[in-house]
Amino acid sequence: GKTGRNVAAGMSGGVAYIYDADNTLYTRLNTELVKMEYIIDKADKEKIVSLLENHIKYTDSAKAKYILKNIENEINNFKTVIPVKYREMLKTVKKFEAMGMKEEEAKLEAFEYMKGAN
């Protein structure tokens, strides 16, 4: 069948960006392990553009060229998929940063905190 044909993925730091033009991704996710989000912010968009550019460089993909050329419309077909634990980790880092810690220190504290939470 058609399932899976329109899915292309790129990963950046634990987050997967999935091109899902036919909106069938949710049928194939293990929601205990990962969460799907529709929010693509400016930083996500920049990462997606970079992933597409690399994909074109290595594969000369016509589909990637099309998506990149029409990025303003096509960006809406992307979803982010984030592992549940990674998402919790990011939230915990932000919490420690809000308490005044520098980024590296907050990451270390969050890591220790998450280890204890399991």
Side-chain angles (χ1 to χ4, degrees):
K2 187 177 159 198
T3 306
R5 246 194 356 211
N6 285 336
V7 173
M11 283 201 71
S12 182
V15 177
Y17 298 101
I18 313 285
Y19 180 74
D20 179 40
D22 58 1
N23 282 310
T24 58
L25 177 64
Y26 69 93
T27 65
R28 299 189 299 278
L29 286 182
N30 179 341
T31 53
E32 287 177 28
L33 297 176
V34 294
K35 293 279 178 254
M36 181 173 82
E37 296 181 355
Y38 294 89
I39 304 115
I40 301 285
D41 63 20
K42 192 171 178 242
D44 289 323
K45 184 180 169 187
E46 286 169 9
K47 284 181 193 154
I48 289 168
V49 165
S50 170
L51 288 163
L52 284 166
E53 286 169 346
N54 277 338
H55 188 60
I56 291 165
K57 188 165 84 179
Y58 294 114
T59 68
D60 202 34
S61 164
K63 185 166 200 167
K65 286 178 185 174
Y66 171 82
I67 294 169
L68 195 56
K69 205 172 111 185
N70 300 286
I71 195 68
E72 296 311 317
N73 293 323
E74 293 295 327
I75 198 72
N76 299 319
N77 287 323
F78 281 91
K79 293 166 184 102
T80 55
V81 176
I82 304 175
V84 173
K85 291 282 179 205
Y86 183 75
R87 196 169 178 219
E88 287 173 22
M89 176 79 178
L90 291 178
K91 279 186 186 167
T92 307
V93 169
K94 293 242 180 291
K95 189 172 79 179
F96 285 125
E97 283 179 330
M99 290 162 62
M101 289 184 193
K102 290 186 168 55
E103 186 184 6
E104 283 307 308
E105 189 184 4
K107 283 180 181 174
L108 286 171
E109 282 295 321
F111 180 73
E112 289 302 319
Y113 174 82
M114 293 296 290
K115 268 193 348 195
N118 291 333

